């Protein structure tokens, strides 16, 4: 029930803002693009890199934070949302809604409404400082 309320709030916010007159991408379409790739995510407003995520499989990734620490995560699709459950951050509501604006890929947090932009897509593996957290 809580996720449904969050989802409707996110949809209402997206539809209300002129900056988000772009097209929503289905989670499957996003994973088609991301699987086997490494994506760099930056804060939409500041452009500061948030982290880098390597999509190992459609249901598994490794996230490298901007400080170089890494953790493995499980990816679940819940309606229009991609949800990431990391071993060191087991929040079941860590869900994101993907969008496309022109050639840009954006994701918006269903919980905080934070927006991140995919600034780079490569086939390079994620580099971790020390041992992964998970």
């Amino acid at each position: 029930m809580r996720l449904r309320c969050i989802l409707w709030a996110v949809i209402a916010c997206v539809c209300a803002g002129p900056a988000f007159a772009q097209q929503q991408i289905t989670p499957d379409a996003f994973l088609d693009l991301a699987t086997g790739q490494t994506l760099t995510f930056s804060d939409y407003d500041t452009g500061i890199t948030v982290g880098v995520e390597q999509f190992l499989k459609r249901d598994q990734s490794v996230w490298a934070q901007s400080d170089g620490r890494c953790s493995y995560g499980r990816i679940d699709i819940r309606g229009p949302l991609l949800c990431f459950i990391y071993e060191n951050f087991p929040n079941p509501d860590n869900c994101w809604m993907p969008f496309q604006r022109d050639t840009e890929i954006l994701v918006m947090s269903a919980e905080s409404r934070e927006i991140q932009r995919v600034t780079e897509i490569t086939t390079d593996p994620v580099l971790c400082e020390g041992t992964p957290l998970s």
Side-chain angles (χ1 to χ4, degrees), residues 37-42 51-53 117-122 124:
Q37 306 291 324
T38 300
L39 281 60
T40 301
F41 292 89
S42 299
V52 178
E53 190 149 18
R117 174 182 295 140
V118 176
T119 53
E120 186 175 16
I121 300 175
T122 71
D124 299 335

Side-chain angles (χ1 to χ4, degrees), residues 39-76:
L39 281 60
T40 301
F41 292 89
S42 299
D43 181 80
Y44 182 78
D45 292 324
T46 66
I48 295 171
T49 299
V50 177
V52 178
E53 190 149 18
Q54 183 177 1
F55 288 79
L56 303 169
K57 299 186 280 185
R58 290 182 77 79
D59 63 351
Q60 184 182 26
S61 69
V62 60
W63 170 255
Q65 299 174 61
S66 57
D67 64 5
R69 293 182 304 156
C70 292
S71 60
Y72 289 90
R74 187 182 83 233
I75 304 168
D76 292 325

Side-chain angles (χ1 to χ4, degrees), residues 42-44 50 96 107-116:
S42 299
D43 181 80
Y44 182 78
V50 177
W96 297 80
V107 293
M108 183 171 67
S109 170
E111 192 168 45
S112 70
R113 298 188 202 155
E114 173 188 355
I115 300 167
Q116 295 178 5

Side-chain angles (χ1 to χ4, degrees), residues 75-91:
I75 304 168
D76 292 325
I77 295 175
R78 297 184 203 154
L81 302 175
L82 284 166
C83 300
F84 297 82
I85 300 174
Y86 300 102
E87 290 179 356
N88 70 322
F89 186 69
N91 178 359

